Amino acid sequence: MSGSKPDILWSPHHPDRYVICDSELGLYRIGPSSGAEETTATLLAINSDTPYMKCVAWYPKHEPECLLAVGQANGRVVLTSLGQTHSSACKELVGKEFVPKHARQCNTLAWNPVDSNLLAAGLDKHRADFSVLIWDVSSRMALDSGASANEKLRLSLAEADSGSVVTKPLYELGQNDACLSLCWLLRDSKLLLAGMHRNLAIFDLRNTSQKTFVNTKAIQGVSVDPHFHDRVASYYEGQLAIWDLRKFEKPVLTLTEQPKPLTKVAWCPTRTGLLATLTRDTNIIRLYDMQHTPTPIGDETEPTIIERSVQPCDGQIGSFAWHPSSQNRMVVVSATNRVMTDFTVFERISLAWSSTSSLMWACGRHLYDCAEDSGGGEGSAERDIATKMRQRAGSGYGHDTVQLWRNHLLAGGDDPQLKSLVFLPMMVTHMKLCAEDLELKIQGNKQSLVYSGIKNIVKTSATESRRSWSGSEWQTDVPRFHSDERCLALRLCGWISRGSDIDVETFLRSLEQEGEWERAAAVALFNLDIRRAIQILNTGASTAKGELNLNVVAMALSGYSDEKVCLWREMCSSLRLQLNNSYLCIMFAFLTSEPGAYDGVLFESSVAVRDRVAFACMFLNDVQLPRYIDKLTNEMKGAGNLEGVLLTGLTNDGVDLMESYVDRTGDVQTASFCMLKGSPVDVLKDPRVQCWIENYRNLLDAWRFWHKRAEFDIHRGKLDPSSKPLAQVFVSCNFCGKSISYSGAAVPHQGRGFSQYGVGGSPTKSKVTSCPGCRKPLPRCALCLMNMGTPVSHCPGTGRSEEKVDLTRENKLAQFNNWFTWCHNCRHGGHAGHMLSWFRDHTECPVSACTCRCMQLDTTGNLLPADSS
Amino acid sequence: MELHILEHRLKVLSIEKEGIQLCTHGLIKLAFLASKTRCKFFSLTETPEDYTIIVDEEGFKEFPQSEHISVADASWLALNVVSGGGNASSSQPIGVTKIAKSVIAPLADHNISVFMLSTYQTDFILVRERDLPLVMHTLSSEFTLLRVVNGETVAVHNVGVTNGFVKPKLVPRPIIHPLSSPSNMFCVTSLDPDTLPSVATLLMDVMFYSGGSKEAGASVEESSHICFFSFSLIEGYVSLVMDEQTTRRFPNNVLFTSASGELWKMVRIGGQPLGFDECGIVAQISEPLATADIPAYYISTFKFDHALVPEENIHSVIEALRTEGSAP
């Protein structure tokens, strides 16, 4: 191989030895170096006896080890050895030469893996001579018997004397042709696959006059997959072809062509279906994972291929060789200076994520299952949103349209954000009622106001009134603001209830019942009733165990005085920050701040938005209030905080807010329900909203929550009539081509093509079995042989008793049983109920002599819904 | 047997010795820098009279227009016989002898002019492109016809032209041209294309400067020593025909001569330039050789034809051909 690229061969039996051949042969031993992960190669021996090397093949048997056959540029094949203590068997063989009749380049060599004394050599073309010669290396015949005078003549005397030259091959194949690559087939050791000039040929040594061949350009580097003996790879320039010997007419697969010609192709001996390829002048090795995917439909399925590439070293790669036993390991030698890299191809990781949030991945021969940890106290907080949504969907979250507040409980009940949404439907209801009640003076679209939030409501001016502390002797008045809109806002915040009553006592009681003492106290205080606040705190301290703190706070509270400069005020404003309950904190902030400057209350982010808004509605003037509301709205939008819905309403602003909420949490479920429940139609048309809804539907489908999805669709159809799906299936009469739907004849009623059809007991029952257009009979059910349109329950033959019970019990099911159904493949069909019960026990079509496996063609038909209704 | 009709469309041209310097650039490129050109078929044969070049259309672009260059008007197609299947009789005659009866004689019978080029690897039978239907008709009975299209071999169905062809008269073919046999011996050999760069200067010397030491062609005739050299690079395969003396100038082990030590002597056909229209010349020579089972190479050039026969057979060959010539 003068000046040509190096090649590597692993020893077939020593897992730590390989040979690199370029202009000479070098035997290396690879072993762990002093470093932890590294390996080093030690040069054991060099053999430079054979010039003009073209190809090398390693003797496949244990003994003699390290015997190499070298093919030379003039066609001679020489047996040689490297650095071994020669056994007698080896000594006998080493130095043997096999000389073809006419000199030409030897392109390839292949030892027979079973009859290891057979060595096949592929030569270039020479006129009438053969290009595939199979030598018997154990043959002891020299020149005495068969060699002609002519043959003697062309061999030098010295060679003839030594008796080590063989000129008569055991088999001669491929006359007048060139052989570029060879390999013995693993399925039968008598078969030899040869890449000839423009064709691939399989020679059978038992009958050498016959050959199987196929014309192709891809004749270089033929190699058999060691794991799949009928699979062969070969290439031509940049094109790689995969052949199946059982179907040899054409390649089963041709891989994408590479811009540079290929130089080596090798199947991985340790991994099934992994093929490595190398092109010229590159530093990457391309790998192809070939998998046989048994698909039930069709014969023309191709193996699926995954292509990837690895870069074992920086320099250009001269050649590579898979390790014979170590998994996915190869040694790579650089093109120029014999830099070797020991390299293990990392196994492709395939990952599958089920819709029920369990994860599975496979790497090499390992399979990992990763289930979400469902146990543990704080598990639910860390759970993936998909799991949460699935649980919520399973428990019917969002579906309860009557008692809206229950949704919060259905959702699991401990998400403060979702809790705040409880008020959303209430708010909408409120708004609708309030709009009627108050006959708002604001001119404009009443409908739009119904869905808008506080932000839009509190825009009108309010009257200022000064109100004094109730039940106390202080003189200072606190300015408070009133208007109908502010009142409405307070209602929306939940502080005051519907109607003319503007007392907060009801609200306070409900808070007390829920044990929210601090909040109740704060609300009482903001309503300027400090005694009530202190009373609440006292009750709280006595009820809640160990909440001594509340008494202390009550004490502190009772010390309030309206003097501007005093010790109490000073201490409270500094020490309040140490209180860990934010409501207690804002109480003191309120008391210690100047009228109109309530930043300590308004920007305390851990206080519920609706309380802060209510507070703002009471104490901020017409200039401050909109500014504060705008600021808070933007803050909520930026954070995606659902509490902000109170401010934005379900307007376009609300969609923005919801968008950042979905971006943050991925909770399309809540988003879909909110938008669907409370939004006007034009907001529902927003592509974002449609996207959430569609994604939620897809999720439900993926979880096989088909009934839930259907419920959702029904619900959606009620709230958003434009979303009703159009009819997807129409049944037309075979004779007249008109729709057989009765109502369809008159009014184009869409979407209910089936269910209206064939309901037993209807007045038109007698006509139901014929086409309403032309009165011709409808096709017959393949099972009961009645014309379609006949109710299932009336079929005497096939109707099971239990089915009848079902029918009488559940009318809806009976309707479905009457539906038309048919196989798209064989076109046979009948009543849905009959078909279902047939395919429960059978795989083939019920029509005799029809072998269609209808049910197997239905990929989803065999799945069961996860939410049994 | 399969007959492959190769896809190369070939031109045959002659370069006068005086005009060779015009073409050296193209010739060197075609012969030694195969990667720089898309030419797939290149053959150069030097005779005392001229250089004959056979080249495909890609390679033809490398040659300039000059009065020193004459081009045979037609385009030629190369035919190649492949004996499909491995019939194990190992001692087959090689060269034109093998195809004399099956290809060359039938073509001669149908008055189809052929141009022969034997190489180390195989024999190419060049026919005019316009004669192809007739060629296919003539040979379809004997051969499986395969045509190479874009590198893929496809079967050709018989063109079905049966009418309009004159049934050939099967007449004996006397040898009508004078023969001569130079005294020097030749090697037909090849080398590994990878080693071509290492012997390129030597080959250039042999190709272009052979006439330097010798005088005009006339003296060559008198000394009955012929200056003949052929180089071809066809589909990546190198073939060389050269004087035995010349082979000694090559380094050891470069030429594929170590094992097949046969030497060949030449029979040169023609006193006047033969032209391209006369048919049957190859048949006249090859048929007697085939009868006598003597292997032979046959190389046509622009002006004359050359047959190479084993040196030990030269006398019997001359004998046989002379009797053929004088028979009628």
Side-chain angles (χ1 to χ4, degrees), chain A residues 293-343:
Chain A
T293 44
T295 333
I297 309 160
D299 301 316
E300 292 265 88
T301 43
E302 287 182 338
T304 45
I305 295 256
I306 296 163
E307 183 187 331
R308 61 196 167 122
S309 51
V310 289
Q311 186 182 350
C313 56
D314 293 332
Q316 289 192 350
I317 298 170
S319 184
F320 70 93
W322 290 106
H323 191 281
S325 53
S326 196
Q327 201 181 346
N328 285 6
R329 180 171 157 199
M330 57 165 71
V331 159
V332 173
V333 65
S334 70
T336 45
N337 46 0
R338 272 202 187 185
V339 178
M340 289 164 257
T341 316
D342 184 6
F343 181 74

Side-chain angles (χ1 to χ4, degrees), chain A residues 54 73 103 105 127 154 176, chain B residues 95 119-121 123 192 194 259:
Chain A
K54 279 289 160 190
Q105 185 171 308
R127 303 179 76 81
R154 66 192 163 93
N176 197 0
Chain B
T119 66
Y120 185 74
Q121 289 84 15
D123 297 295
D192 178 1
D194 292 343

Side-chain angles (χ1 to χ4, degrees), chain A residues 724-727 730 743 747-753 756:
Chain A
K724 271 191 188 165
L726 297 175
F730 298 93
S743 55
V747 192
H749 190 294
Q750 292 185 322
R752 292 291 179 269
Q756 301 171 340

Side-chain angles (χ1 to χ4, degrees), chain A residues 261-320:
Chain A
L262 290 159
T263 54
K264 185 157 183 174
V265 167
W267 295 97
C268 178
T270 51
R271 193 88 179 95
T272 42
L274 182 60
L275 183 72
T277 66
L278 178 68
T279 59
R280 214 177 58 199
D281 307 332
T282 180
N283 57 359
I284 59 163
I285 290 175
R286 266 198 184 71
L287 300 167
Y288 297 91
D289 285 308
M290 271 166 241
Q291 306 300 334
H292 270 271
T293 44
T295 333
I297 309 160
D299 301 316
E300 292 265 88
T301 43
E302 287 182 338
T304 45
I305 295 256
I306 296 163
E307 183 187 331
R308 61 196 167 122
S309 51
V310 289
Q311 186 182 350
C313 56
D314 293 332
Q316 289 192 350
I317 298 170
S319 184
F320 70 93

Side-chain angles (χ1 to χ4, degrees), chain A residues 2 4 51-52 54 73-76 99-105 107 124-130 150-151 153-156 168 172-180 197-198 208-211 213 215-217, chain B residues 2 6-7 80-90 92-96 98 118-123 146 148 150-153 192-195 235 237 252-254 256-262 296-297:
Chain A
S2 45
S4 72
Y52 309 108
K54 279 289 160 190
N74 56 11
R76 292 176 175 221
V99 183
K101 213 176 293 161
H102 295 98
R104 56 250 146 92
Q105 185 171 308
N107 290 318
D124 261 346
K125 187 173 183 172
H126 179 274
R127 303 179 76 81
D129 205 350
F130 298 90
N150 197 6
E151 279 170 334
L153 188 81
R154 66 192 163 93
L155 299 163
S156 66
K168 185 113 183 81
E172 293 174 305
L173 305 160
Q175 199 177 22
N176 197 0
D177 208 340
C179 172
L180 292 135
H197 186 59
R198 292 214 177 96
T208 51
S209 60
Q210 291 294 311
K211 66 170 180 181
F213 74 100
N215 286 326
T216 175
K217 275 203 255 185
Chain B
E2 291 172 1
L6 307 185
E7 60 186 335
N80 185 12
V81 174
V82 174
S83 48
N87 35 354
S89 59
S90 58
Q92 279 213 336
I94 57 173
V96 280
K98 181 182 55 145
S118 294
T119 66
Y120 185 74
Q121 289 84 15
T122 190
D123 297 295
L146 295 165
V148 181
N150 292 329
E152 303 281 358
T153 315
D192 178 1
D194 292 343
T195 61
E235 292 175 352
Y237 289 109
N252 266 350
N253 283 323
V254 168
F256 291 168
T257 44
S258 51
S260 60
E262 308 118 315
Y297 292 95

